[in-house]
Amino acid sequence: MPKDNEGRAVPSGAAEPVSDGSVSALSVIEMGATSGGLSADFEAMKVAARAYVSKVVGMDIVTDEDRKAAWKIRADLNSKVEAIEKARKDAFRAYDAPKEAFKAKCEEVKSVIKEQIAIIDGRLKELDDEFTAARKAALLAEYETQAPDLMAAIPLERFIERESALMGRSWSETKAVSKLGQMIATAVSDREAIRAAAPKFATAADKHYCERLDLSAALAEAKRLADEAKARERHAEQMQREAEDRVARAMAQAKAAEGGGAPCRPKSPASEVREWDFRFRATKAQATMIAEYAKSIGVVSDGIKGVA
């Protein structure tokens, strides 16, 4: 930017550098697409850009007028940047248009081949569906012949999940049917083993087995259930013993009080005998102990009666 004698920016006309031959490459930006690709005279554009900005290199911005002039210069320079970007986008669009047309023609050729691929895929799927239906029918026939009563507990799909090769082409139908027969025989044997090993929890363990076809896992489940039941029994027995101990201590204390020589106090009028109802929850043994304790301290009752 031109400067005065004080070295400040000169705002007058500063936002419009003088145009000459050196900036013609920025006055009309030419970019385009050719058969060889994209083209532009970038060297000429760089020379013109350097010449364009040389007018304002090193300018001083001191006064408010300088600031206003600088904003104008900045806007002018930015317009050149935007012009270059617009030219680039226009060139890309011009270059992309034949690419898209070329791609469309390729797709037309590919579609001819893809149509035949689709026909082949359709036929292959038909063959796969026919194979699957035939193989499943053969397996079901074997299952129904060998163990029809087992089918409700263990559907055919469970065996297929356990051995996917039953439905695969890698095995012949004869081999698949034979393998299924072996698996059925094993399942029958395993269920009998479960009933023998864990009769008390056979139902739950058998259900576990039918869902997984895993004898070890089913027996482990039976053991877990047995351990839980034993833990509950031990807890109930402990509670029973503690209750019996409390009753025994109470009876012993009552007997000691009767024969302990404690002076008998005269009965007050408030100690009259009345009828009382006392409902409680206990085992039969516990109820018997309570009745005996009541009798030992002179309580008269009609005996213990259970409530349904």
Side-chain angles (χ1 to χ4, degrees):
M1 176 179 293
K3 299 180 182 178
D4 61 12
N5 293 332
E6 296 180 354
R8 300 200 326 271
V10 179
S12 177
E16 299 177 0
V18 177
S19 176
D20 55 33
S22 65
V23 299
S24 61
L26 291 182
S27 299
V28 180
I29 300 172
E30 294 182 353
M31 295 184 186
T34 67
S35 59
L38 296 171
S39 65
D41 191 350
F42 289 114
E43 290 303 321
M45 290 173 65
K46 281 196 290 186
V47 171
R50 290 192 183 99
Y52 201 80
V53 301
S54 67
K55 306 294 184 180
V56 295
V57 171
M59 69 177 181
D60 292 329
I61 303 174
V62 179
T63 67
D64 187 57
E65 290 182 350
D66 292 341
R67 186 184 64 80
K68 293 178 181 178
W71 272 108
K72 291 181 180 179
I73 292 169
R74 183 185 182 285
D76 181 64
L77 294 175
N78 196 56
S79 69
K80 297 303 180 184
V81 173
E82 292 175 353
I84 294 171
E85 182 63 11
K86 180 179 181 301
R88 180 192 67 78
K89 292 180 178 178
D90 290 344
F92 274 29
R93 280 191 290 271
Y95 189 72
D96 286 341
K99 287 199 305 182
E100 292 301 318
F102 189 87
K103 179 181 177 180
K105 293 297 182 182
C106 289
E107 292 299 326
E108 290 178 6
V109 177
K110 287 161 59 179
S111 67
V112 175
I113 302 172
K114 285 183 176 181
E115 287 177 4
Q116 188 58 38
I117 292 174
I119 293 172
I120 295 172
D121 287 346
R123 180 53 185 156
L124 291 175
K125 185 178 183 305
E126 289 177 0
L127 292 174
D128 286 343
D129 291 344
E130 291 171 3
F131 172 84
T132 298
R135 177 60 62 86
K136 191 168 186 179
L139 294 175
L140 281 172
E142 174 67 14
Y143 201 170
E144 291 173 349
T145 300
Q146 185 168 336
D149 295 340
L150 186 62
M151 299 180 74
I154 307 177
L156 175 62
E157 286 70 22
R158 192 78 71 245
F159 290 108
I160 295 173
E161 290 171 2
R162 188 70 173 177
E163 180 52 82
S164 59
L166 290 172
M167 293 295 294
R169 291 182 179 273
S170 61
W171 284 6
S172 66
E173 182 176 299
T174 301
K175 182 176 180 179
V177 168
S178 176
K179 177 61 177 178
L180 176 63
Q182 296 171 13
M183 295 177 74
I184 292 172
T186 298
V188 172
S189 176
D190 287 349
R191 296 182 78 199
E192 291 175 353
I194 291 170
R195 286 191 289 271
K200 189 173 181 180
F201 303 100
T203 300
D206 181 69
K207 182 176 182 295
H208 196 275
Y209 176 82
C210 291
E211 292 173 350
R212 297 165 178 80
L213 297 181
D214 188 329
L215 178 59
S216 297
L219 293 176
E221 175 67 6
K223 184 179 183 303
R224 184 186 69 80
L225 294 173
D227 290 344
E228 288 183 354
K230 288 180 181 178
R232 288 193 297 269
E233 290 174 2
R234 286 195 297 270
H235 179 70
E237 291 171 357
Q238 179 65 26
M239 296 298 292
Q240 173 77 13
R241 286 194 296 270
E242 291 177 0
E244 292 173 354
D245 289 344
R246 286 195 296 271
V247 172
R249 286 195 298 270
M251 292 175 65
Q253 291 172 0
K255 289 180 180 180
E258 289 179 356
C264 296
R265 297 180 181 178
K267 295 182 179 180
S268 64
S271 301
E272 60 180 317
V273 176
R274 299 173 56 188
E275 294 285 339
W276 302 88
D277 287 331
F278 174 41
R279 296 171 66 89
F280 58 90
R281 295 175 61 84
T283 64
K284 185 175 181 181
Q286 292 170 334
T288 301
M289 290 181 185
I290 293 173
E292 291 176 354
Y293 171 68
K295 184 177 179 182
S296 70
I297 61 175
V299 174
V300 178
S301 71
D302 293 334
I304 300 295
K305 297 180 180 179
V307 178

